[in-house]
Amino acid sequence: MLNSRMVLSRKSWFIGLGVVSVAAIANALFSLEHDWHLLTISTLMVGGTLLFANVRQSFAAVVDQPQVIDRNFLFKELQQVQKAIAKIADANKRADLNEQAQQITSNLQKNNFRIVIFGTGSAGKTSVINALLGRKAGTTGAAIGTTITREEYSYQGIDFSPVGITPIHTEKIKRQVSLLDTSGIQEMGEMGQARELEALKLAQNADLMVFVTSGDLTNTEYCELDRLAGLGKRVILAFNKTDLYLPSDREQVLTKLKERTQQFLTAPDIVAIAAKPSPIKVRQYANAEASVSHNASQEWWEDVPPDVSALKERIETILSNEWEELLIHNTHLQIQNLLHEINGTINQERRQDATTIINRYQVLAATTVFANPIPAIDLLAGAAINTQMLIDLAKIYDRPLNFKQAQQLTMTIAQQLLQLGCIEIATSAIASCFKVNAITYAIGGSMQAVTAAYLTHIGGMSFVEYLEQQPQAAISDNPEITNKLQQICDRTFKALQSDRFFIDFVTNISRRIAIT
């Protein structure tokens, strides 16, 4: 069925159709007695032009219409994720990726909104969590890195109504809010770096991020905040420990934070809080005279209640107005990141299989040339071997490639290598290796065989690089694909010219020839 946007407007239909109808009737009634053919044809052309223009505009509107990303779209993307995961051979990696996909699906189905508290180890992230929850949920301390792993808490501090949410699968969707405490950034040691990577990953998957700092931003804090905001993350910058500053100094820090982050944060998203104020000393005097003489009868330290009202109000405002938009946007971003990881794993496995195939065919090319001293036979055999190698490589990457196309690509690669002077350079380098290598020196006449193997290796690696760079493009012999493949051949050849590579390659091929 056509999209509703493709339906022509009634006015345009009536105008075009009316003009054509009048012309047809006039032609039928008067064509025998009057010379109105020229007028009729002109009228038909006008009416047809109106109809064609309207149809063209309607189809153009559909083509230009951007993809609407909603919950249904996300569930379809998650189905694609499951199909892609099924292509992975490693069972452990497949299970890990499946778990990530199921977590994303669960969060979307349960309408779970995740707020990640992020920052350095000394900024007071856990204290912010405790203050928002109104209870001591996480452990705090003076030492940096008190939180050594992520902690997740259900946040019930705000009463949210499901306004603006379209129900999916159920008549009513309940909102769930989770607060996630993370390890700090800038922690020392190997374990600290590992915890920092985990914290960064959680921040990237957050629906809303509260970035906690205890003063003006350090260079590391600014870079991380800028990068996360660049990913489209919704960020609140919380200036914590304001109780340690004089009022004038506090305002100066706030002004500085707003100036430095004005390119990616709005002023309302920068709030001042005191999640765990320092206790104050209280003195009790027996009478007024004792007060004048500072002779206190009792002294004690009294805790000051946390002040996170500005942060709480900002969270409430964002969730009330942007809940669905943020949830959809960040779920889509998580799915794209997961797909990127899946495709990387698939390409890694494919690259391993492709390397095995290339190694097999390069040895086959070397032994064929070594066994046939006639150059003409060598050329024909080499072309056939490389053609079949490209077909096998295309199968690994699920790309259809027939024998004729493979022949054409083999010729393209061979011509490009000839233009680059690959044969002369390879022959010279391989000859030098023969002089210093006892194994290769003992195998007389194997230089041509090793050169053939080297050319097969270059061609195979170039084709694999092309398949990975163009995962969706159809393989054909059009000029654009030819030029792309030629450029990749050039880069691959230049990357595989080191002395170390030639020595290892010649040694390996020569040993295989000696075995056969």
Side-chain angles (χ1 to χ4, degrees):
M1 295 181 63
L2 294 177
N3 190 288
S4 60
R5 295 183 180 88
M6 295 173 60
V7 179
L8 305 179
S9 65
R10 292 183 179 180
K11 183 177 180 180
S12 299
W13 267 111
F14 283 134
I15 292 176
L17 202 57
V19 172
V20 173
S21 300
V22 169
I25 294 172
N27 182 64
L29 293 176
F30 301 106
S31 61
L32 297 176
E33 300 179 3
H34 302 81
D35 190 14
W36 283 16
H37 292 288
L38 183 59
L39 176 61
T40 303
I41 293 174
S42 300
T43 308
L44 286 170
M45 290 178 63
V46 173
T49 302
L50 287 172
L51 285 173
F52 174 75
N54 195 33
V55 170
R56 184 177 180 182
Q57 291 176 358
S58 300
F59 276 96
V62 173
V63 173
D64 296 338
Q65 186 68 25
Q67 175 65 55
V68 177
I69 299 178
D70 55 13
R71 289 174 179 265
N72 289 324
F73 178 83
L74 295 179
F75 282 119
K76 290 178 181 178
E77 275 195 325
L78 287 167
Q79 291 176 357
Q80 296 175 359
V81 166
Q82 294 294 342
K83 292 179 181 179
I85 292 175
K87 297 179 181 180
I88 297 175
D90 188 333
N92 293 330
K93 187 65 176 178
R94 193 169 60 246
D96 178 61
L97 293 170
N98 260 321
E99 183 179 353
Q100 294 184 47
Q102 290 171 4
Q103 183 63 53
I104 295 174
T105 303
S106 176
N107 288 336
L108 185 60
Q109 289 175 338
K110 295 179 179 179
N111 208 36
N112 188 15
F113 195 96
R114 298 167 43 137
I115 304 175
V116 172
I117 312 299
F118 186 79
T120 62
S122 59
K125 302 182 306 300
T126 304
S127 297
V128 173
I129 293 272
N130 293 339
L132 288 173
L133 295 176
R135 58 185 174 87
K136 187 176 181 180
T139 303
T140 61
I144 296 176
T146 304
T147 303
I148 61 175
T149 185
R150 81 169 193 178
E151 299 290 345
E152 185 168 351
Y153 308 98
S154 179
Y155 185 39
Q156 305 295 337
I158 304 172
D159 182 21
F160 302 110
S161 60
V163 176
I165 296 181
T166 303
I168 303 294
H169 304 309
T170 60
E171 295 182 358
K172 183 178 180 181
I173 293 182
K174 297 180 179 179
R175 292 188 171 191
Q176 298 181 8
V177 183
S178 297
L179 292 178
L180 279 80
D181 193 6
T182 63
S183 303
I185 59 175
Q186 294 182 298
E187 292 186 14
M188 302 298 292
E190 184 176 345
M191 290 298 295
Q193 293 177 359
R195 293 197 296 265
E196 179 175 340
L197 290 175
E198 181 185 5
L200 288 171
K201 186 174 182 179
L202 285 173
Q204 291 174 354
N205 293 332
D207 298 307
L208 174 63
M209 187 178 69
V210 177
F211 195 105
V212 183
T213 183
S214 57
D216 192 12
L217 295 172
T218 64
N219 185 58
T220 301
E221 288 178 314
Y222 179 85
C223 291
E224 289 298 341
L225 184 59
D226 184 26
R227 186 176 67 85
L228 292 168
L231 294 174
K233 293 285 106 178
R234 191 69 167 87
V235 181
I236 300 174
L237 178 58
F239 169 31
N240 191 26
K241 301 186 179 181
T242 55
D243 57 295
L244 302 180
Y245 293 81
L246 295 173
S248 58
D249 294 337
R250 183 166 59 244
E251 290 302 320
Q252 288 181 2
V253 173
L254 273 175
T255 302
K256 187 67 175 179
L257 290 174
K258 292 175 182 179
E259 290 176 353
R260 294 189 64 188
T261 61
Q262 60 183 343
Q263 293 184 349
F264 48 85
L265 286 182
T266 61
D269 288 332
I270 302 174
V271 297
I273 60 174
K276 189 180 180 182
S278 300
I280 60 175
K281 181 179 286 188
V282 178
R283 292 185 177 92
Q284 185 176 20
Y285 298 95
N287 49 49
E289 289 77 9
S291 173
V292 174
S293 61
H294 301 289
N295 186 17
S297 60
Q298 292 186 35
E299 290 185 351
W300 69 90
W301 291 95
E302 188 171 288
D303 291 334
V304 179
D307 180 13
V308 292
S309 57
L311 175 59
K312 209 166 186 178
E313 289 173 4
R314 192 58 190 158
I315 292 175
E316 181 178 2
T317 300
I318 291 174
L319 295 186
S320 298
N321 299 324
E322 305 175 41
W323 176 296
E324 186 73 357
E325 178 184 351
L326 291 176
L327 188 62
I328 295 297
H329 171 77
N330 289 294
T331 302
H332 178 60
L333 185 61
Q334 291 177 46
I335 293 173
Q336 293 303 308
N337 290 337
L338 183 58
L339 278 172
H340 180 74
E341 184 178 356
I342 292 170
N343 291 331
T345 302
I346 292 174
N347 279 337
Q348 184 178 7
E349 292 184 347
R350 286 173 170 174
R351 176 63 75 109
Q352 292 174 353
D353 294 339
T355 301
T356 301
I357 287 178
I358 292 172
N359 289 338
R360 183 170 73 244
Y361 276 100
Q362 68 190 24
V363 172
L364 180 60
T367 54
T368 301
V369 171
F370 185 73
N372 294 283
I374 303 175
I377 297 178
D378 291 347
L379 290 175
L380 291 174
I385 288 171
N386 289 331
T387 299
Q388 187 59 48
M389 178 183 67
L390 297 190
I391 293 175
D392 289 351
L393 290 174
K395 289 179 181 178
I396 290 178
Y397 286 86
D398 294 330
R399 307 286 288 280
L401 181 68
N402 57 44
F403 186 79
K404 184 177 180 180
Q405 290 174 326
Q407 278 185 320
Q408 184 62 41
L409 292 173
T410 300
M411 290 297 298
T412 299
I413 294 173
Q415 291 172 359
Q416 183 63 18
L417 294 179
L418 283 173
Q419 292 178 6
L420 295 172
C422 178
I423 296 178
E424 292 81 1
I425 295 174
T427 301
S428 175
I430 291 170
S432 300
C433 295
F434 269 67
K435 294 178 182 179
V436 298
N437 193 304
I439 296 178
T440 56
Y441 184 80
I443 306 174
S446 64
M447 186 171 69
Q448 291 181 346
V450 177
T451 302
Y454 176 74
L455 296 178
T456 299
H457 182 83
I458 295 291
M461 296 304 296
S462 298
F463 189 59
V464 167
E465 188 72 22
Y466 167 79
L467 293 174
E468 292 181 354
Q469 290 186 12
Q470 310 289 327
Q472 303 299 329
I475 301 176
S476 63
D477 55 355
N478 67 61
E480 183 178 352
I481 291 180
T482 300
N483 292 335
K484 187 68 176 178
L485 189 55
Q486 289 174 344
Q487 294 172 6
I488 294 175
C489 285
D490 188 10
R491 291 198 301 269
T492 305
F493 174 57
K494 291 178 180 178
L496 299 178
Q497 288 189 32
S498 67
D499 293 339
R500 183 72 265 171
F501 172 80
F502 274 114
I503 292 174
D504 293 341
F505 186 83
V506 169
T507 302
N508 179 50
I509 296 298
S510 299
R511 283 175 175 169
R512 297 295 296 272
I513 294 175
I515 294 174
T516 57

